[in-house]
PDB file of all heavy atoms in Angstrom:
ATOM      1  N   ILE A 378       5.040  23.832  18.468  1.00 89.00           N
ATOM      2  CA  ILE A 378       5.481  25.232  18.386  1.00 89.00           C
ATOM      3  C   ILE A 378       4.298  26.145  18.100  1.00 89.00           C
ATOM      4  O   ILE A 378       4.168  27.227  18.673  1.00 89.00           O
ATOM      5  CB  ILE A 378       6.565  25.371  17.298  1.00 89.00           C
ATOM      6  CG1 ILE A 378       7.842  24.641  17.722  1.00 89.00           C
ATOM      7  CG2 ILE A 378       6.860  26.847  17.013  1.00 89.00           C
ATOM      8  CD1 ILE A 378       8.900  24.553  16.632  1.00 89.00           C
ATOM      9  N   LEU A 379       3.414  25.692  17.210  1.00 87.00           N
ATOM     10  CA  LEU A 379       2.227  26.479  16.860  1.00 87.00           C
ATOM     11  C   LEU A 379       1.369  26.765  18.091  1.00 87.00           C
ATOM     12  O   LEU A 379       0.844  27.870  18.263  1.00 87.00           O
ATOM     13  CB  LEU A 379       1.402  25.724  15.806  1.00 87.00           C
ATOM     14  CG  LEU A 379       0.090  26.381  15.354  1.00 87.00           C
ATOM     15  CD1 LEU A 379       0.383  27.659  14.588  1.00 87.00           C
ATOM     16  CD2 LEU A 379      -0.707  25.416  14.481  1.00 87.00           C
ATOM     17  N   HIS A 380       1.258  25.791  18.981  1.00 83.00           N
ATOM     18  CA  HIS A 380       0.436  25.950  20.189  1.00 83.00           C
ATOM     19  C   HIS A 380       1.261  26.369  21.411  1.00 83.00           C
ATOM     20  O   HIS A 380       0.775  26.325  22.535  1.00 83.00           O
ATOM     21  CB  HIS A 380      -0.303  24.637  20.475  1.00 83.00           C
ATOM     22  CG  HIS A 380      -1.375  24.326  19.484  1.00 83.00           C
ATOM     23  ND1 HIS A 380      -2.706  24.603  19.683  1.00 83.00           N
ATOM     24  CD2 HIS A 380      -1.316  23.772  18.235  1.00 83.00           C
ATOM     25  CE1 HIS A 380      -3.420  24.225  18.633  1.00 83.00           C
ATOM     26  NE2 HIS A 380      -2.591  23.719  17.741  1.00 83.00           N
ATOM     27  N   GLU A 381       2.517  26.741  21.175  1.00 79.00           N
ATOM     28  CA  GLU A 381       3.401  27.306  22.193  1.00 79.00           C
ATOM     29  C   GLU A 381       3.685  26.349  23.351  1.00 79.00           C
ATOM     30  O   GLU A 381       3.827  26.756  24.501  1.00 79.00           O
ATOM     31  CB  GLU A 381       2.821  28.627  22.733  1.00 79.00           C
ATOM     32  CG  GLU A 381       2.664  29.687  21.669  1.00 79.00           C
ATOM     33  CD  GLU A 381       2.178  31.010  22.222  1.00 79.00           C
ATOM     34  OE1 GLU A 381       1.930  31.092  23.443  1.00 79.00           O
ATOM     35  OE2 GLU A 381       2.047  31.956  21.446  1.00 79.00           O
ATOM     36  N   HIS A 382       3.817  25.061  23.019  1.00 83.00           N
ATOM     37  CA  HIS A 382       4.231  24.090  24.033  1.00 83.00           C
ATOM     38  C   HIS A 382       5.741  23.895  24.029  1.00 83.00           C
ATOM     39  O   HIS A 382       6.328  23.498  25.041  1.00 83.00           O
ATOM     40  CB  HIS A 382       3.534  22.747  23.804  1.00 83.00           C
ATOM     41  CG  HIS A 382       2.072  22.769  24.127  1.00 83.00           C
ATOM     42  ND1 HIS A 382       1.590  23.121  25.366  1.00 83.00           N
ATOM     43  CD2 HIS A 382       0.981  22.483  23.364  1.00 83.00           C
ATOM     44  CE1 HIS A 382       0.263  23.048  25.353  1.00 83.00           C
ATOM     45  NE2 HIS A 382      -0.125  22.672  24.152  1.00 83.00           N
ATOM     46  N   VAL A 383       6.368  24.110  22.880  1.00 86.00           N
ATOM     47  CA  VAL A 383       7.824  24.053  22.756  1.00 86.00           C
ATOM     48  C   VAL A 383       8.274  25.216  21.882  1.00 86.00           C
ATOM     49  O   VAL A 383       7.461  25.838  21.183  1.00 86.00           O
ATOM     50  CB  VAL A 383       8.298  22.719  22.124  1.00 86.00           C
ATOM     51  CG1 VAL A 383       8.098  21.557  23.087  1.00 86.00           C
ATOM     52  CG2 VAL A 383       7.590  22.451  20.792  1.00 86.00           C
ATOM     53  N   ALA A 384       9.590  25.491  21.936  1.00 86.00           N
ATOM     54  CA  ALA A 384      10.112  26.627  21.171  1.00 86.00           C
ATOM     55  C   ALA A 384      11.018  26.215  20.029  1.00 86.00           C
ATOM     56  O   ALA A 384      11.363  27.044  19.194  1.00 86.00           O
ATOM     57  CB  ALA A 384      10.858  27.571  22.112  1.00 86.00           C
ATOM     58  N   LYS A 385      11.419  24.937  19.983  1.00 90.00           N
ATOM     59  CA  LYS A 385      12.341  24.520  18.928  1.00 90.00           C
ATOM     60  C   LYS A 385      11.981  23.134  18.424  1.00 90.00           C
ATOM     61  O   LYS A 385      11.281  22.373  19.098  1.00 90.00           O
ATOM     62  CB  LYS A 385      13.778  24.537  19.445  1.00 90.00           C
ATOM     63  CG  LYS A 385      14.026  23.605  20.613  1.00 90.00           C
ATOM     64  CD  LYS A 385      15.456  23.702  21.121  1.00 90.00           C
ATOM     65  CE  LYS A 385      15.703  22.746  22.287  1.00 90.00           C
ATOM     66  NZ  LYS A 385      17.093  22.806  22.776  1.00 90.00           N
ATOM     67  N   ASN A 386      12.489  22.817  17.225  1.00 95.00           N
ATOM     68  CA  ASN A 386      12.197  21.540  16.576  1.00 95.00           C
ATOM     69  C   ASN A 386      13.512  20.820  16.272  1.00 95.00           C
ATOM     70  O   ASN A 386      14.172  21.122  15.267  1.00 95.00           O
ATOM     71  CB  ASN A 386      11.410  21.764  15.288  1.00 95.00           C
ATOM     72  CG  ASN A 386      10.887  20.480  14.676  1.00 95.00           C
ATOM     73  OD1 ASN A 386      11.365  19.399  14.979  1.00 95.00           O
ATOM     74  ND2 ASN A 386       9.902  20.596  13.798  1.00 95.00           N
ATOM     75  N   PRO A 387      13.919  19.860  17.113  1.00 94.00           N
ATOM     76  CA  PRO A 387      15.195  19.176  16.896  1.00 94.00           C
ATOM     77  C   PRO A 387      15.222  18.289  15.650  1.00 94.00           C
ATOM     78  O   PRO A 387      16.298  17.942  15.158  1.00 94.00           O
ATOM     79  CB  PRO A 387      15.357  18.331  18.157  1.00 94.00           C
ATOM     80  CG  PRO A 387      13.964  18.077  18.624  1.00 94.00           C
ATOM     81  CD  PRO A 387      13.219  19.336  18.298  1.00 94.00           C
ATOM     82  N   VAL A 388      14.047  17.933  15.120  1.00 95.00           N
ATOM     83  CA  VAL A 388      13.994  17.019  13.982  1.00 95.00           C
ATOM     84  C   VAL A 388      14.434  17.703  12.688  1.00 95.00           C
ATOM     85  O   VAL A 388      14.789  17.036  11.716  1.00 95.00           O
ATOM     86  CB  VAL A 388      12.572  16.429  13.827  1.00 95.00           C
ATOM     87  CG1 VAL A 388      12.561  15.276  12.839  1.00 95.00           C
ATOM     88  CG2 VAL A 388      12.042  15.947  15.164  1.00 95.00           C
ATOM     89  N   LEU A 389      14.435  19.042  12.682  1.00 92.00           N
ATOM     90  CA  LEU A 389      14.836  19.775  11.477  1.00 92.00           C
ATOM     91  C   LEU A 389      16.255  19.426  11.042  1.00 92.00           C
ATOM     92  O   LEU A 389      16.600  19.523   9.864  1.00 92.00           O
ATOM     93  CB  LEU A 389      14.730  21.285  11.729  1.00 92.00           C
ATOM     94  CG  LEU A 389      13.315  21.851  11.898  1.00 92.00           C
ATOM     95  CD1 LEU A 389      13.397  23.327  12.257  1.00 92.00           C
ATOM     96  CD2 LEU A 389      12.496  21.662  10.632  1.00 92.00           C
ATOM     97  N   HIS A 390      17.096  19.042  12.003  1.00 90.00           N
ATOM     98  CA  HIS A 390      18.505  18.771  11.698  1.00 90.00           C
ATOM     99  C   HIS A 390      18.781  17.281  11.484  1.00 90.00           C
ATOM    100  O   HIS A 390      19.938  16.888  11.305  1.00 90.00           O
ATOM    101  CB  HIS A 390      19.375  19.288  12.838  1.00 90.00           C
ATOM    102  CG  HIS A 390      19.085  20.716  13.220  1.00 90.00           C
ATOM    103  ND1 HIS A 390      19.429  21.786  12.420  1.00 90.00           N
ATOM    104  CD2 HIS A 390      18.445  21.241  14.294  1.00 90.00           C
ATOM    105  CE1 HIS A 390      19.027  22.907  12.989  1.00 90.00           C
ATOM    106  NE2 HIS A 390      18.432  22.608  14.133  1.00 90.00           N
ATOM    107  N   VAL A 391      17.737  16.448  11.506  1.00 92.00           N
ATOM    108  CA  VAL A 391      17.904  14.998  11.391  1.00 92.00           C
ATOM    109  C   VAL A 391      17.865  14.578   9.931  1.00 92.00           C
ATOM    110  O   VAL A 391      17.010  15.032   9.165  1.00 92.00           O
ATOM    111  CB  VAL A 391      16.810  14.260  12.193  1.00 92.00           C
ATOM    112  CG1 VAL A 391      16.911  12.756  11.989  1.00 92.00           C
ATOM    113  CG2 VAL A 391      16.936  14.599  13.677  1.00 92.00           C
ATOM    114  N   GLU A 392      18.785  13.698   9.538  1.00 87.00           N
ATOM    115  CA  GLU A 392      18.843  13.212   8.164  1.00 87.00           C
ATOM    116  C   GLU A 392      18.433  11.746   8.086  1.00 87.00           C
ATOM    117  O   GLU A 392      18.745  10.962   8.975  1.00 87.00           O
ATOM    118  CB  GLU A 392      20.264  13.364   7.600  1.00 87.00           C
ATOM    119  CG  GLU A 392      20.746  14.798   7.488  1.00 87.00           C
ATOM    120  CD  GLU A 392      22.150  14.885   6.908  1.00 87.00           C
ATOM    121  OE1 GLU A 392      22.781  13.813   6.771  1.00 87.00           O
ATOM    122  OE2 GLU A 392      22.597  15.995   6.598  1.00 87.00           O
ATOM    123  N   THR A 393      17.726  11.395   7.020  1.00 84.00           N
ATOM    124  CA  THR A 393      17.396   9.998   6.722  1.00 84.00           C
ATOM    125  C   THR A 393      17.499   9.796   5.216  1.00 84.00           C
ATOM    126  O   THR A 393      17.621  10.761   4.458  1.00 84.00           O
ATOM    127  CB  THR A 393      15.970   9.623   7.178  1.00 84.00           C
ATOM    128  OG1 THR A 393      15.017  10.445   6.486  1.00 84.00           O
ATOM    129  CG2 THR A 393      15.795   9.792   8.677  1.00 84.00           C
ATOM    130  N   ARG A 394      17.425   8.556   4.806  1.00 79.00           N
ATOM    131  CA  ARG A 394      17.357   8.250   3.379  1.00 79.00           C
ATOM    132  C   ARG A 394      15.905   8.022   2.997  1.00 79.00           C
ATOM    133  O   ARG A 394      15.097   7.586   3.812  1.00 79.00           O
ATOM    134  CB  ARG A 394      18.167   6.994   3.078  1.00 79.00           C
ATOM    135  CG  ARG A 394      19.666   7.172   3.218  1.00 79.00           C
ATOM    136  CD  ARG A 394      20.380   5.833   3.180  1.00 79.00           C
ATOM    137  NE  ARG A 394      20.004   5.041   2.016  1.00 79.00           N
ATOM    138  CZ  ARG A 394      20.341   3.768   1.849  1.00 79.00           C
ATOM    139  NH1 ARG A 394      21.045   3.138   2.792  1.00 79.00           N
ATOM    140  NH2 ARG A 394      19.981   3.113   0.768  1.00 79.00           N
ATOM    141  N   SER A 395      15.570   8.321   1.745  1.00 67.00           N
ATOM    142  CA  SER A 395      14.190   8.115   1.296  1.00 67.00           C
ATOM    143  C   SER A 395      14.086   7.090   0.172  1.00 67.00           C
ATOM    144  O   SER A 395      12.981   6.666  -0.166  1.00 67.00           O
ATOM    145  CB  SER A 395      13.577   9.443   0.828  1.00 67.00           C
ATOM    146  OG  SER A 395      14.357  10.002  -0.210  1.00 67.00           O
ATOM    147  N   LYS A 396      15.213   6.689  -0.406  1.00 65.00           N
ATOM    148  CA  LYS A 396      15.176   5.732  -1.506  1.00 65.00           C
ATOM    149  C   LYS A 396      15.038   4.318  -0.956  1.00 65.00           C
ATOM    150  O   LYS A 396      15.776   3.898  -0.070  1.00 65.00           O
ATOM    151  CB  LYS A 396      16.438   5.825  -2.362  1.00 65.00           C
ATOM    152  CG  LYS A 396      16.358   4.983  -3.638  1.00 65.00           C
ATOM    153  CD  LYS A 396      17.517   5.273  -4.548  1.00 65.00           C
ATOM    154  CE  LYS A 396      17.478   4.425  -5.815  1.00 65.00           C
ATOM    155  NZ  LYS A 396      16.270   4.637  -6.603  1.00 65.00           N
ATOM    156  N   SER A 397      14.105   3.571  -1.506  1.00 61.00           N
ATOM    157  CA  SER A 397      13.831   2.215  -1.028  1.00 61.00           C
ATOM    158  C   SER A 397      14.775   1.196  -1.662  1.00 61.00           C
ATOM    159  O   SER A 397      15.198   1.339  -2.811  1.00 61.00           O
ATOM    160  CB  SER A 397      12.388   1.841  -1.358  1.00 61.00           C
ATOM    161  OG  SER A 397      12.129   0.494  -1.015  1.00 61.00           O
ATOM    162  N   ASP A 398      15.102   0.169  -0.882  1.00 62.00           N
ATOM    163  CA  ASP A 398      15.872  -0.957  -1.410  1.00 62.00           C
ATOM    164  C   ASP A 398      14.959  -1.975  -2.091  1.00 62.00           C
ATOM    165  O   ASP A 398      15.435  -2.916  -2.722  1.00 62.00           O
ATOM    166  CB  ASP A 398      16.639  -1.657  -0.276  1.00 62.00           C
ATOM    167  CG  ASP A 398      17.651  -0.726   0.383  1.00 62.00           C
ATOM    168  OD1 ASP A 398      18.211   0.121  -0.335  1.00 62.00           O
ATOM    169  OD2 ASP A 398      17.850  -0.846   1.600  1.00 62.00           O
ATOM    170  N   TYR A 399      13.645  -1.762  -1.947  1.00 68.00           N
ATOM    171  CA  TYR A 399      12.669  -2.713  -2.483  1.00 68.00           C
ATOM    172  C   TYR A 399      12.593  -2.626  -4.002  1.00 68.00           C
ATOM    173  O   TYR A 399      12.559  -1.531  -4.585  1.00 68.00           O
ATOM    174  CB  TYR A 399      11.293  -2.420  -1.876  1.00 68.00           C
ATOM    175  CG  TYR A 399      10.154  -3.142  -2.550  1.00 68.00           C
ATOM    176  CD1 TYR A 399      10.004  -4.526  -2.420  1.00 68.00           C
ATOM    177  CD2 TYR A 399       9.211  -2.450  -3.307  1.00 68.00           C
ATOM    178  CE1 TYR A 399       8.955  -5.193  -3.032  1.00 68.00           C
ATOM    179  CE2 TYR A 399       8.163  -3.106  -3.915  1.00 68.00           C
ATOM    180  CZ  TYR A 399       8.032  -4.478  -3.772  1.00 68.00           C
ATOM    181  OH  TYR A 399       7.003  -5.129  -4.383  1.00 68.00           O
ATOM    182  N   LYS A 400      12.582  -3.781  -4.653  1.00 79.00           N
ATOM    183  CA  LYS A 400      12.415  -3.853  -6.097  1.00 79.00           C
ATOM    184  C   LYS A 400      11.271  -4.807  -6.393  1.00 79.00           C
ATOM    185  O   LYS A 400      11.349  -6.007  -6.094  1.00 79.00           O
ATOM    186  CB  LYS A 400      13.703  -4.326  -6.763  1.00 79.00           C
ATOM    187  CG  LYS A 400      13.692  -4.197  -8.283  1.00 79.00           C
ATOM    188  CD  LYS A 400      15.048  -4.526  -8.872  1.00 79.00           C
ATOM    189  CE  LYS A 400      15.058  -4.322 -10.382  1.00 79.00           C
ATOM    190  NZ  LYS A 400      16.387  -4.628 -10.979  1.00 79.00           N
ATOM    191  N   ALA A 401      10.207  -4.261  -6.941  1.00 84.00           N
ATOM    192  CA  ALA A 401       8.997  -5.055  -7.169  1.00 84.00           C
ATOM    193  C   ALA A 401       9.215  -6.109  -8.242  1.00 84.00           C
ATOM    194  O   ALA A 401       9.961  -5.901  -9.205  1.00 84.00           O
ATOM    195  CB  ALA A 401       7.842  -4.141  -7.573  1.00 84.00           C
ATOM    196  N   ILE A 402       8.561  -7.256  -8.072  1.00 88.00           N
ATOM    197  CA  ILE A 402       8.543  -8.279  -9.117  1.00 88.00           C
ATOM    198  C   ILE A 402       7.656  -7.772 -10.248  1.00 88.00           C
ATOM    199  O   ILE A 402       6.488  -7.451 -10.043  1.00 88.00           O
ATOM    200  CB  ILE A 402       8.006  -9.613  -8.582  1.00 88.00           C
ATOM    201  CG1 ILE A 402       8.928 -10.173  -7.499  1.00 88.00           C
ATOM    202  CG2 ILE A 402       7.844 -10.621  -9.707  1.00 88.00           C
ATOM    203  CD1 ILE A 402       8.394 -11.433  -6.842  1.00 88.00           C
ATOM    204  N   VAL A 403       8.236  -7.682 -11.438  1.00 89.00           N
ATOM    205  CA  VAL A 403       7.491  -7.231 -12.617  1.00 89.00           C
ATOM    206  C   VAL A 403       7.246  -8.432 -13.515  1.00 89.00           C
ATOM    207  O   VAL A 403       8.173  -9.191 -13.815  1.00 89.00           O
ATOM    208  CB  VAL A 403       8.273  -6.134 -13.367  1.00 89.00           C
ATOM    209  CG1 VAL A 403       7.607  -5.816 -14.691  1.00 89.00           C
ATOM    210  CG2 VAL A 403       8.371  -4.873 -12.514  1.00 89.00           C
ATOM    211  N   ILE A 404       6.001  -8.604 -13.940  1.00 90.00           N
ATOM    212  CA  ILE A 404       5.673  -9.750 -14.783  1.00 90.00           C
ATOM    213  C   ILE A 404       5.306  -9.284 -16.195  1.00 90.00           C
ATOM    214  O   ILE A 404       4.877  -8.148 -16.407  1.00 90.00           O
ATOM    215  CB  ILE A 404       4.522 -10.586 -14.193  1.00 90.00           C
ATOM    216  CG1 ILE A 404       3.251  -9.749 -14.023  1.00 90.00           C
ATOM    217  CG2 ILE A 404       4.932 -11.174 -12.848  1.00 90.00           C
ATOM    218  CD1 ILE A 404       2.058 -10.533 -13.509  1.00 90.00           C
ATOM    219  N   THR A 405       5.481 -10.180 -17.157  1.00 90.00           N
ATOM    220  CA  THR A 405       5.212  -9.878 -18.563  1.00 90.00           C
ATOM    221  C   THR A 405       3.735 -10.139 -18.881  1.00 90.00           C
ATOM    222  O   THR A 405       3.038 -10.827 -18.120  1.00 90.00           O
ATOM    223  CB  THR A 405       6.082 -10.758 -19.468  1.00 90.00           C
ATOM    224  OG1 THR A 405       5.682 -12.134 -19.284  1.00 90.00           O
ATOM    225  CG2 THR A 405       7.552 -10.608 -19.120  1.00 90.00           C
ATOM    226  N   PRO A 406       3.246  -9.616 -20.008  1.00 90.00           N
ATOM    227  CA  PRO A 406       1.874  -9.947 -20.419  1.00 90.00           C
ATOM    228  C   PRO A 406       1.657 -11.452 -20.551  1.00 90.00           C
ATOM    229  O   PRO A 406       0.571 -11.954 -20.214  1.00 90.00           O
ATOM    230  CB  PRO A 406       1.737  -9.231 -21.762  1.00 90.00           C
ATOM    231  CG  PRO A 406       2.665  -8.067 -21.654  1.00 90.00           C
ATOM    232  CD  PRO A 406       3.833  -8.581 -20.866  1.00 90.00           C
ATOM    233  N   ALA A 407       2.670 -12.180 -21.015  1.00 92.00           N
ATOM    234  CA  ALA A 407       2.533 -13.639 -21.160  1.00 92.00           C
ATOM    235  C   ALA A 407       2.350 -14.302 -19.791  1.00 92.00           C
ATOM    236  O   ALA A 407       1.550 -15.231 -19.646  1.00 92.00           O
ATOM    237  CB  ALA A 407       3.767 -14.211 -21.870  1.00 92.00           C
ATOM    238  N   GLN A 408       3.099 -13.839 -18.798  1.00 93.00           N
ATOM    239  CA  GLN A 408       2.946 -14.392 -17.453  1.00 93.00           C
ATOM    240  C   GLN A 408       1.586 -14.017 -16.856  1.00 93.00           C
ATOM    241  O   GLN A 408       0.961 -14.826 -16.164  1.00 93.00           O
ATOM    242  CB  GLN A 408       4.079 -13.887 -16.551  1.00 93.00           C
ATOM    243  CG  GLN A 408       5.435 -14.496 -16.881  1.00 93.00           C
ATOM    244  CD  GLN A 408       6.556 -13.850 -16.092  1.00 93.00           C
ATOM    245  OE1 GLN A 408       6.615 -12.621 -15.932  1.00 93.00           O
ATOM    246  NE2 GLN A 408       7.481 -14.668 -15.586  1.00 93.00           N
ATOM    247  N   THR A 409       1.134 -12.807 -17.148  1.00 92.00           N
ATOM    248  CA  THR A 409      -0.193 -12.391 -16.673  1.00 92.00           C
ATOM    249  C   THR A 409      -1.275 -13.276 -17.280  1.00 92.00           C
ATOM    250  O   THR A 409      -2.217 -13.693 -16.589  1.00 92.00           O
ATOM    251  CB  THR A 409      -0.459 -10.912 -17.028  1.00 92.00           C
ATOM    252  OG1 THR A 409       0.594 -10.102 -16.498  1.00 92.00           O
ATOM    253  CG2 THR A 409      -1.787 -10.443 -16.452  1.00 92.00           C
ATOM    254  N   LEU A 410      -1.155 -13.570 -18.570  1.00 93.00           N
ATOM    255  CA  LEU A 410      -2.127 -14.444 -19.228  1.00 93.00           C
ATOM    256  C   LEU A 410      -2.107 -15.835 -18.608  1.00 93.00           C
ATOM    257  O   LEU A 410      -3.163 -16.448 -18.389  1.00 93.00           O
ATOM    258  CB  LEU A 410      -1.820 -14.530 -20.725  1.00 93.00           C
ATOM    259  CG  LEU A 410      -2.754 -15.436 -21.548  1.00 93.00           C
ATOM    260  CD1 LEU A 410      -4.194 -14.956 -21.453  1.00 93.00           C
ATOM    261  CD2 LEU A 410      -2.286 -15.490 -23.011  1.00 93.00           C
ATOM    262  N   ALA A 411      -0.906 -16.340 -18.294  1.00 94.00           N
ATOM    263  CA  ALA A 411      -0.798 -17.658 -17.659  1.00 94.00           C
ATOM    264  C   ALA A 411      -1.453 -17.662 -16.285  1.00 94.00           C
ATOM    265  O   ALA A 411      -2.086 -18.642 -15.883  1.00 94.00           O
ATOM    266  CB  ALA A 411       0.678 -18.058 -17.540  1.00 94.00           C
ATOM    267  N   ILE A 412      -1.327 -16.552 -15.567  1.00 95.00           N
ATOM    268  CA  ILE A 412      -1.988 -16.436 -14.262  1.00 95.00           C
ATOM    269  C   ILE A 412      -3.504 -16.464 -14.440  1.00 95.00           C
ATOM    270  O   ILE A 412      -4.231 -17.150 -13.710  1.00 95.00           O
ATOM    271  CB  ILE A 412      -1.554 -15.140 -13.547  1.00 95.00           C
ATOM    272  CG1 ILE A 412      -0.085 -15.239 -13.107  1.00 95.00           C
ATOM    273  CG2 ILE A 412      -2.436 -14.859 -12.329  1.00 95.00           C
ATOM    274  CD1 ILE A 412       0.475 -13.945 -12.544  1.00 95.00           C
ATOM    275  N   LEU A 413      -3.990 -15.730 -15.425  1.00 94.00           N
ATOM    276  CA  LEU A 413      -5.432 -15.679 -15.684  1.00 94.00           C
ATOM    277  C   LEU A 413      -5.982 -17.082 -16.012  1.00 94.00           C
ATOM    278  O   LEU A 413      -7.059 -17.458 -15.548  1.00 94.00           O
ATOM    279  CB  LEU A 413      -5.736 -14.721 -16.831  1.00 94.00           C
ATOM    280  CG  LEU A 413      -5.538 -13.227 -16.530  1.00 94.00           C
ATOM    281  CD1 LEU A 413      -5.615 -12.395 -17.800  1.00 94.00           C
ATOM    282  CD2 LEU A 413      -6.584 -12.749 -15.520  1.00 94.00           C
ATOM    283  N   LYS A 414      -5.225 -17.838 -16.787  1.00 94.00           N
ATOM    284  CA  LYS A 414      -5.677 -19.187 -17.162  1.00 94.00           C
ATOM    285  C   LYS A 414      -5.691 -20.133 -15.963  1.00 94.00           C
ATOM    286  O   LYS A 414      -6.406 -21.136 -15.974  1.00 94.00           O
ATOM    287  CB  LYS A 414      -4.772 -19.745 -18.259  1.00 94.00           C
ATOM    288  CG  LYS A 414      -4.954 -19.058 -19.613  1.00 94.00           C
ATOM    289  CD  LYS A 414      -4.027 -19.670 -20.664  1.00 94.00           C
ATOM    290  CE  LYS A 414      -4.252 -19.035 -22.035  1.00 94.00           C
ATOM    291  NZ  LYS A 414      -3.342 -19.610 -23.063  1.00 94.00           N
ATOM    292  N   ALA A 415      -4.896 -19.791 -14.939  1.00 94.00           N
ATOM    293  CA  ALA A 415      -4.850 -20.639 -13.737  1.00 94.00           C
ATOM    294  C   ALA A 415      -5.920 -20.261 -12.716  1.00 94.00           C
ATOM    295  O   ALA A 415      -5.983 -20.849 -11.636  1.00 94.00           O
ATOM    296  CB  ALA A 415      -3.467 -20.538 -13.094  1.00 94.00           C
ATOM    297  N   LEU A 416      -6.759 -19.282 -13.063  1.00 94.00           N
ATOM    298  CA  LEU A 416      -7.824 -18.839 -12.155  1.00 94.00           C
ATOM    299  C   LEU A 416      -9.176 -19.236 -12.750  1.00 94.00           C
ATOM    300  O   LEU A 416      -9.730 -18.509 -13.583  1.00 94.00           O
ATOM    301  CB  LEU A 416      -7.752 -17.317 -11.956  1.00 94.00           C
ATOM    302  CG  LEU A 416      -6.495 -16.787 -11.264  1.00 94.00           C
ATOM    303  CD1 LEU A 416      -6.455 -15.261 -11.330  1.00 94.00           C
ATOM    304  CD2 LEU A 416      -6.436 -17.248  -9.808  1.00 94.00           C
ATOM    305  N   PRO A 417      -9.741 -20.372 -12.348  1.00 92.00           N
ATOM    306  CA  PRO A 417     -10.991 -20.847 -12.945  1.00 92.00           C
ATOM    307  C   PRO A 417     -12.217 -20.015 -12.567  1.00 92.00           C
ATOM    308  O   PRO A 417     -13.193 -19.970 -13.314  1.00 92.00           O
ATOM    309  CB  PRO A 417     -11.112 -22.284 -12.402  1.00 92.00           C
ATOM    310  CG  PRO A 417     -10.342 -22.266 -11.118  1.00 92.00           C
ATOM    311  CD  PRO A 417      -9.207 -21.317 -11.343  1.00 92.00           C
TER     312      PRO A 417
END
Side-chain angles (χ1 to χ4, degrees):
I378 292 172
L379 178 67
H380 290 263
E381 299 184 358
H382 289 303
V383 289
K385 61 182 181 179
N386 189 341
V388 192
L389 291 175
H390 309 288
V391 176
E392 296 181 351
T393 61
R394 290 169 52 190
S395 58
K396 188 171 179 60
S397 175
D398 298 326
Y399 168 70
K400 190 173 183 179
I402 296 175
V403 172
I404 59 177
T405 65
Q408 289 173 317
T409 305
L410 179 60
I412 290 173
L413 289 169
K414 289 180 177 179
L416 296 171

